[in-house]
Structures are given as C-alpha cells and as structure tokens.
Amino acid sequence: MIEWMRAAGLAAALALAALAAPVASAADAEAGRALYETRCGGCHDRSVHERTARAAKSFAQLRAAIARWDRHAGALWRKEEIDAVTRYLNERYYRFPCPDDVCGSARG
C-alpha cells in the first residue's frame, strides 16, 4: 500500500511539473519582452532582427550579443534576465534551437 501511495505521489508531482512548465514559459516570455521593450526598444526596432544579414548565427551568439549590450548599457541584468530576453527574441525572430540549460523542456 505504501509503495502504491509513493508511486501515486510521484506521478502527481510529475503531472504538476508538466502543467507548470508552459505557465513558466509564458511568464518568462512576457518578462523577456518587457525587459527588451523597456531597455532596448528605444534604439532597436524589429528591422534590426529581421534583416537578412544577421550577426547572430546561433542561440549562443544571440545570447552573447545581448550580454554584450547589457554590459555596454551598465550591466543591470542578471543571468536569468539575459536568458529571458534571449528566449523572447529567439522565439519572436530567430528560431535557433534553444539549449536545454536555458529553455529546459518548455520550448516555444
């Protein structure tokens, strides 16, 4: 009986984690959008990201460019915020494969 209860508890925890992932992803995307629009939108409009000759050729290069501009602007963002902005821009414009250490299993 105890084994069955443990298995049921584990199954319930996994189900809740799976349900929470899309919510966290949506919240992260919104946070990334808000950070980008607040801090970058004044100088960078969509044409920067939609041009044919893009500087970033991978998710890692896109993230490095965002981190570089963050340092240039005063290094105000934490790693999680840089990741959120990178995910937002990637989902909206670039569509590079997103590594598990940044996107986990909740990929957009």
Side-chain angles (χ1 to χ4, degrees):
M1 178 73 166
I2 292 176
E3 288 298 319
W4 181 84
M5 290 175 63
R6 280 189 190 149
L10 178 59
L14 290 172
L16 286 174
L19 289 174
V23 173
S25 179
D28 289 346
E30 179 60 25
R33 182 193 63 77
L35 287 164
Y36 179 79
E37 289 179 356
T38 300
R39 188 139 171 242
C40 309
C43 297
H44 294 279
D45 63 10
R46 66 189 307 166
S47 67
V48 169
H49 305 290
E50 292 178 341
R51 61 186 169 205
T52 306
R54 292 178 171 167
K57 306 289 187 212
S58 68
F59 189 90
Q61 288 179 355
L62 177 60
R63 189 186 185 290
I66 293 164
R68 184 173 54 252
W69 278 105
D70 177 57
R71 285 190 305 275
H72 177 73
L76 302 174
W77 286 342
R78 298 181 320 268
K79 176 194 178 302
E80 296 80 18
E81 293 168 319
I82 292 170
D83 288 345
V85 172
T86 306
R87 282 191 306 269
Y88 163 71
L89 291 175
N90 190 54
E91 289 171 13
R92 174 131 188 190
Y93 299 107
Y94 294 88
R95 305 284 185 201
F96 297 128
C98 186
D100 286 344
D101 65 325
V102 177
C103 294
S105 61
R107 295 180 184 190

